[in-house]
Amino acid sequence: MDEIEEGSSNNSLRRVGTGSSDRRWVDGSEVDSETPPFYEIRDRDYSFGNLRRRLMKKPKRADSLDVEAMEIAGSHGHSLKDLSLLGTIGIAFQTLGVVYGDMGTSPLYVFSDVFSKVPIKSEVDVLGALSLVIYTIAVIPLAKYVFVVLKANDNGEGGTFALYSLICRYAKVNKLPNQQPADEQISSFRLKLPTPELERALGIKEALETKGYLKTLLLLLVLMGTSMIIGDGILTPAMSVMSAMSGLQGEVEGFGTNALVMSSIVILVALFSIQRFGTGKVGFLFAPVLALWFFSLGAIGIYNLLKYDITVIRALNPFYIILFFKKNSKQAWSALGGCVLCITGAEAMFADLGHFSVRSIQMAFTCVVFPCLLLAYMGQAAYLTKHPEASARIFYDSVPGSLFWPVFVIATLAAMIASQAMISATFSCVKQAMALGCFPRLKIIHTSKKRMGQIYIPVINWFLMIMCILVVSIFRSTTHIANAYGIAEVGVMMVSTVLVTLVMLLIWQTNLFLALCFPLIFGSVETIYLLAVLTKILEGGWVPLVFATFFLTVMYIWNYGSVLKYQSEVRERISMDFMRELGSTLGTIRIPGIGLLYNELVQGIPSIFGQFLLTLPAIHSTIIFVCIKYVPVPVVPQEERFLFRRVCPKDYHMFRCIARYGYKDVRKEDSRVFEQLLIESLEKFLRCEALEDALESTLNDFDPDRVSVASDTYTDDLMAPLINRAKRSEPEQEFDSEVLPSSSVGSSMEEDPALEYELAALREATDSGLTYLLAHGDVRAKKNSIFVKKLVINYFYAFLRRNCRAGAANLTVPHMNILQAGMTYMV
């Protein structure tokens, strides 16, 4: 009988649009451009018989959750802003301070690391290394990210989890089985596909949905990329700050390694200590400082080219790369790992896309970043042809003496900004992982009232600071840190290559040859770099692997335990037969008030409700089962937040509310605002339900020959056309009055005593107050489980649950309004 309470809809929900007459959704269903939407019926002069058949045609019931979604879907567009050229230039200027800080500071250490592996003995060494750097920047950031990867965004959002959520929208690969048809009606959820290559895309979709090991493999791939990004959050501040401060060595007498380490630690502590104030306080300085930094790089590069050796532009010939490897063999292979450092931060071009636009990031890179970096590296190479002994301090030695201190100050600020951008990206990445159920709940502080992306996570912040201090203290030089730095960068890039290839095949439905060229070209280049940096595992490359393994283990254990807990809740749901036996009093006393019972189920009555019935001497007159659910879209509009349906007969006064959030949404609503929105949405649902009942009753009276297929009172179907009908224009309402009986639907609904009674009961319950009913759950493995499962669930997952942020802590409500009941889930 559970199907009565939460029957799912198998109806094909279609949305009619303009454009090509042959369009399909990802599930293969056609978009019927010939059949008009309900609100266009008047234009086709249909008879009332056709209208009645259209209204009554319901071979399978439509879930009221779906109906509520269909009513509001499409009311908000989520398209990128059409900015003018001047506006795009303004945003492109801002990207300099957020996106390109890491890549912009790479000239501080690239050549010093490369020539620590390959001593300069001839100009072939210099020209070969320069050619490697030029084509590395041209192939990875320019060709791959600017022209391809940036287009694989999720409604303007980028990053590893954005790609994963995009794939989750087209194929049911999320291991948490809480997807609903109603989710597909969110404004930006359901996207159209072109018709070519559809069969192949559907085949890939079916394989991903039916084969569990592919779901697990995809999840592990995403978690691995996320772990590498967090590892970057540790290595980037250490590398950038230490490289900037190393300029004092040789310039200030007595400034040795110990002084370098201590000064770097002081700056790192200061950097992480100000995170709690938010980047918004100093964010307006970021772009001008980085713009000045890039201008300095370009100007100094031109100066060195003209003064020392302008013929280094010969390095544009890739033949020098072959000569470089032929001359240095194994040493050149080791130096290749140092060349990777010139593209550190390239992933930020995609990860930070949500704050800007594709055109602005493309414009900033092609017009400012790319040429300035090329000039900087060419200038350093020109200086090295005349002063090969200066390779250890090439950046600061190539700066004209009179400009050393201004450039040093700008370099230090640029290094701090690059670190700040990576720290903020780590916070955002962890928040997205939490939203998708892949990271333990942590305290999140929103540092800006205007920008929802500016967040601060204290636990992650102090963890990153401690790890940075340890890295600087242990390695004590930028060369050793660089060995660790490259592995994390290449790892993230390879994950992006795999996911974008999947997007090409599944979503874009690109020609198979072109889709395979992407991983063959860029994947091959990244594999070569990965093999080069893996040779440095014993020299420090083990550090990012340890960090990645640690975070990968934490995230997978949390996801694994959460999925098992959800499956246990589904198995232990309370049956509708038992609820009917209890009656409308639920076997206890009903007192005025609203009980908000938080749970994770999107269907069924959670077993924790039985615990409250047994524990409490009375229960509230109105019960709402609230499910906080994250859907694979960046943002859910406020008016599309809540979905309601009735649970049990009307006299039970029990409802289900699903509050939906995107992975970029900010859950910082005041409890009173949340409660007000929830009650208003419930009232709207009750009125829509009464409208449906009135229409059903009217049509039954008008056509006595109609055979009723309605179910019990508490399983009435709400159909999308009936809801849309209430929102017609005035002429369409006149059309209704011509074909419907004189007793109008609106007046009959206003006079409905059942609706008035229920609204009055809801207002009385609201005035009596809301109480939050929470489960204090414990998850244990079954006795017959294997040893590894018992170890993971009973110890590791239990440890994470005990030390993560509890459910009550996430609610900004007085503790006197919270009731908790214990529950043990056997998985």
Side-chain angles (χ1 to χ4, degrees):
M1 297 300 294
D2 287 347
E3 292 82 358
I4 296 177
E5 188 267 333
E6 293 284 350
S8 61
S9 171
N10 294 321
N11 293 343
S12 177
L13 305 177
R14 301 180 180 180
R15 182 178 301 168
V16 178
T18 59
S20 175
S21 60
D22 186 13
R23 292 161 297 170
R24 294 174 181 263
W25 302 114
V26 71
D27 58 3
S29 59
E30 296 183 356
V31 180
D32 188 1
S33 59
E34 297 180 358
T35 303
F38 185 86
Y39 50 79
E40 294 178 1
I41 290 178
R42 180 177 179 271
D43 299 330
R44 297 295 186 88
D45 193 25
Y46 283 122
S47 65
F48 178 72
N50 288 335
L51 173 63
R52 178 182 59 81
R53 285 192 295 271
R54 185 175 178 85
L55 287 174
M56 294 305 106
K57 185 180 179 181
K58 50 175 186 178
K60 295 181 181 179
R61 67 183 297 263
D63 198 319
S64 57
L65 295 179
D66 302 342
V67 172
E68 186 75 7
M70 285 186 282
E71 176 190 2
I72 52 186
S75 59
H76 290 268
H78 295 277
S79 59
L80 293 176
K81 296 180 179 179
D82 294 328
L83 294 174
S84 63
L85 178 61
L86 189 62
T88 303
I89 293 174
I91 295 181
F93 178 73
Q94 297 176 27
T95 64
L96 296 177
V98 177
V99 178
Y100 297 111
D102 196 2
M103 194 183 303
T105 54
S106 58
L108 288 169
Y109 45 76
V110 170
F111 276 152
S112 62
D113 184 75
V114 169
F115 293 117
S116 67
K117 310 295 191 302
V118 178
I120 301 176
K121 297 180 180 179
S122 67
E123 69 172 7
V124 172
D125 298 322
V126 176
L127 294 177
L130 176 60
S131 187
L132 267 176
V133 169
I134 290 175
Y135 283 99
T136 299
I137 298 175
V139 171
I140 302 299
L142 182 63
K144 177 186 173 182
Y145 281 93
V146 169
F147 291 112
V148 181
V149 176
L150 285 177
K151 297 180 181 179
N153 60 80
D154 181 15
N155 291 321
E157 297 293 337
T160 304
F161 267 107
L163 286 173
Y164 182 62
S165 71
L166 187 62
I167 295 171
C168 286
R169 297 225 302 275
Y170 286 90
K172 298 177 181 178
V173 296
N174 195 334
K175 302 195 71 175
L176 194 64
N178 63 351
Q179 298 87 6
Q180 293 177 285
D183 298 336
E184 300 177 8
Q185 300 305 317
I186 296 176
S187 304
S188 59
F189 191 102
R190 204 175 188 192
L191 305 177
K192 287 179 287 189
L193 296 176
T195 52
E197 311 289 342
L198 180 62
E199 185 176 353
R200 186 193 69 222
L202 292 177
I204 297 174
K205 176 178 181 290
E206 182 180 1
L208 288 173
E209 291 179 347
T210 57
K211 297 179 181 179
Y213 70 91
L214 290 180
K215 292 183 181 180
T216 302
L217 186 62
L218 181 62
L219 177 64
L220 287 174
L221 187 67
V222 173
L223 296 183
M224 186 185 304
T226 305
S227 303
M228 292 289 185
I229 293 176
I230 298 176
D232 275 354
I234 297 172
L235 296 175
T236 296
M239 184 70 180
S240 300
V241 171
M242 206 169 184
S243 297
M245 296 304 297
S246 64
L248 296 178
Q249 288 183 310
E251 190 70 24
V252 177
E253 185 177 353
F255 193 87
T257 302
N258 291 333
L260 172 63
V261 172
M262 292 305 299
S263 59
S264 299
I265 290 176
V266 170
I267 292 180
L268 287 172
V269 171
L271 177 65
F272 284 100
S273 297
I274 64 174
Q275 291 301 311
R276 61 191 181 92
F277 298 108
T279 57
K281 302 294 189 299
V282 292
F284 68 96
L285 292 176
F286 285 7
V289 170
L290 262 297
L292 185 59
W293 169 249
F294 280 112
F295 172 78
S296 301
L297 289 179
I300 294 172
I302 294 174
Y303 170 82
N304 288 326
L305 275 172
L306 297 177
K307 181 176 181 180
Y308 296 106
D309 187 5
I310 196 173
T311 64
V312 294
I313 61 175
R314 291 175 293 165
L316 293 174
N317 184 356
F319 183 69
Y320 281 99
I321 298 177
I322 300 175
L323 295 178
F324 180 74
F325 277 92
K326 185 176 180 180
K327 178 178 181 295
N328 297 288
S329 60
K330 292 184 178 180
Q331 290 179 320
W333 185 256
S334 179
L336 186 61
C339 289
V340 174
L341 301 179
C342 71
I343 54 174
T344 56
E347 182 66 21
M349 297 169 64
F350 187 49
D352 293 329
L353 180 60
H355 298 287
F356 307 101
S357 66
V358 173
R359 285 186 60 193
S360 64
I361 292 179
Q362 291 173 332
M363 181 181 294
F365 184 82
T366 54
C367 298
V368 178
V369 178
F370 186 55
C372 287
L373 288 178
L374 291 189
L375 289 173
Y377 288 118
M378 286 182 177
Q380 292 183 20
Y383 186 87
L384 286 173
T385 58
K386 304 300 182 183
H387 304 88
E389 73 284 351
S391 60
R393 294 184 71 254
I394 173 58
F395 177 79
Y396 285 107
D397 284 353
S398 65
V399 175
S402 59
L403 297 178
F404 172 82
W405 286 108
V407 170
F408 172 76
V409 173
I410 298 174
T412 304
L413 292 175
M416 294 183 67
I417 292 172
S419 304
Q420 174 65 61
M422 200 63 231
I423 294 169
S424 300
T426 303
F427 291 158
S428 299
C429 191
V430 171
K431 179 182 181 296
Q432 291 182 20
M434 290 169 58
L436 294 176
C438 296
F439 206 93
R441 294 184 298 269
L442 299 175
K443 182 180 181 180
I444 298 178
I445 298 174
H446 301 275
T447 58
S448 174
K449 294 181 179 180
K450 298 180 179 179
R451 295 186 179 181
M452 67 179 182
Q454 294 185 4
I455 60 175
Y456 167 63
I457 306 178
V459 173
I460 298 297
N461 182 70
W462 302 124
F463 177 82
L464 293 179
M465 186 190 75
I466 294 172
M467 292 298 105
C468 280
I469 293 175
L470 289 177
V471 167
V472 170
S473 302
I474 293 173
F475 289 101
R476 301 175 67 84
S477 75
T478 56
T479 301
H480 292 139
I481 298 178
N483 295 335
Y485 203 14
I487 294 179
E489 288 292 333
V490 179
V492 175
M493 293 176 185
M494 294 191 71
V495 170
S496 295
T497 299
V498 175
L499 293 178
V500 171
T501 302
L502 188 56
V503 168
M504 286 181 169
L505 294 172
L506 177 65
I507 301 172
W508 292 356
Q509 299 176 25
T510 309
N511 179 272
L512 185 60
F513 174 76
L514 296 177
L516 293 180
C517 283
F518 180 77
L520 286 177
I521 296 175
F522 299 109
S524 299
V525 173
E526 290 162 356
T527 300
I528 293 173
Y529 278 123
L530 181 64
L531 294 175
V533 296
L534 285 178
T535 60
K536 303 179 181 181
I537 287 182
L538 298 179
E539 303 173 17
W542 55 270
V543 173
L545 297 180
V546 170
F547 288 143
T549 302
F550 170 75
F551 282 105
L552 176 63
T553 303
V554 170
M555 289 191 287
Y556 187 77
I557 288 176
W558 182 262
N559 180 266
Y560 175 70
S562 299
V563 171
L564 291 182
K565 177 179 176 291
Y566 186 87
Q567 293 173 347
S568 175
E569 286 191 90
V570 172
R571 288 194 304 268
E572 298 174 5
R573 290 181 300 181
I574 299 176
S575 69
M576 290 303 301
D577 290 334
F578 179 72
M579 295 300 297
R580 277 195 295 270
E581 291 176 4
L582 291 178
S584 60
T585 62
L586 300 177
T588 183
I589 302 173
R590 303 293 293 268
I591 58 174
I594 296 178
L596 301 180
L597 195 152
Y598 278 71
N599 67 105
E600 298 179 3
L601 291 182
V602 295
Q603 293 184 2
I605 300 176
S607 56
I608 189 63
F609 184 58
Q611 294 292 326
F612 280 109
L613 292 179
L614 293 174
T615 305
L616 300 178
I619 200 69
H620 302 81
S621 58
T622 300
I623 298 294
I624 303 176
F625 300 107
V626 181
C627 172
I628 303 295
K629 174 183 173 181
Y630 285 91
V631 290
V633 293
V635 177
V636 176
Q638 189 80 295
E639 53 272 25
E640 298 186 45
R641 179 83 67 216
F642 299 104
L643 297 180
F644 276 89
R645 76 159 291 116
R646 187 181 294 279
V647 180
C648 299
K650 288 187 176 181
D651 56 345
Y652 280 56
H653 301 292
M654 294 171 61
F655 306 90
R656 174 175 309 287
C657 169
I658 298 179
R660 304 178 299 178
Y661 291 84
Y663 57 83
K664 295 284 287 185
D665 270 327
V666 177
R667 281 188 58 198
K668 63 174 183 178
E669 304 109 327
D670 182 83
S671 60
R672 292 169 296 180
V673 176
F674 181 86
E675 293 167 2
Q676 181 181 355
L677 288 172
L678 188 145
I679 298 302
E680 289 176 356
S681 299
L682 179 55
E683 289 185 1
K684 181 181 178 182
F685 167 76
L686 293 175
R687 296 183 185 277
C688 290
E689 184 185 48
L691 172 62
E692 159 67 9
D693 291 341
L695 283 171
E696 291 278 351
S697 176
T698 301
L699 291 170
N700 278 334
D701 295 339
F702 188 77
D703 185 6
D705 295 332
R706 174 178 176 257
V707 179
S708 176
V709 294
S711 304
D712 293 26
T713 55
Y714 55 91
T715 60
D716 286 344
D717 298 337
L718 299 183
M719 295 183 296
L722 301 179
I723 299 299
N724 286 333
R725 185 180 185 199
K727 300 172 67 175
R728 297 185 193 177
S729 59
E730 290 300 325
E732 292 171 329
Q733 291 176 359
E734 293 176 3
F735 170 73
D736 291 340
S737 64
E738 295 174 2
V739 297
L740 291 178
S742 58
S743 56
S744 67
V745 172
S747 61
S748 63
M749 187 181 68
E750 291 176 1
E751 298 171 1
D752 185 1
L755 174 62
E756 294 302 323
Y757 169 77
E758 197 153 21
L759 290 177
L762 178 61
R763 296 187 187 102
E764 180 185 0
T766 304
D767 294 338
S768 298
L770 285 78
T771 302
Y772 291 75
L773 309 177
L774 307 178
H776 184 70
D778 185 22
V779 182
R780 307 291 294 177
K782 296 178 181 178
K783 292 184 178 180
N784 58 350
S785 301
I786 61 175
F787 171 76
V788 175
K789 182 177 180 181
K790 290 181 179 179
L791 180 65
V792 170
I793 298 298
N794 295 348
Y795 294 95
F796 296 152
Y797 181 67
F799 174 80
L800 293 176
R801 281 184 62 85
R802 284 195 303 269
N803 292 276
C804 75
R805 193 168 173 82
N810 289 325
L811 303 175
T812 56
V813 296
H815 288 286
M816 61 180 297
N817 290 356
I818 295 177
L819 290 176
Q820 287 187 306
M823 185 76 183
T824 300
Y825 300 97
M826 302 303 297
V827 298

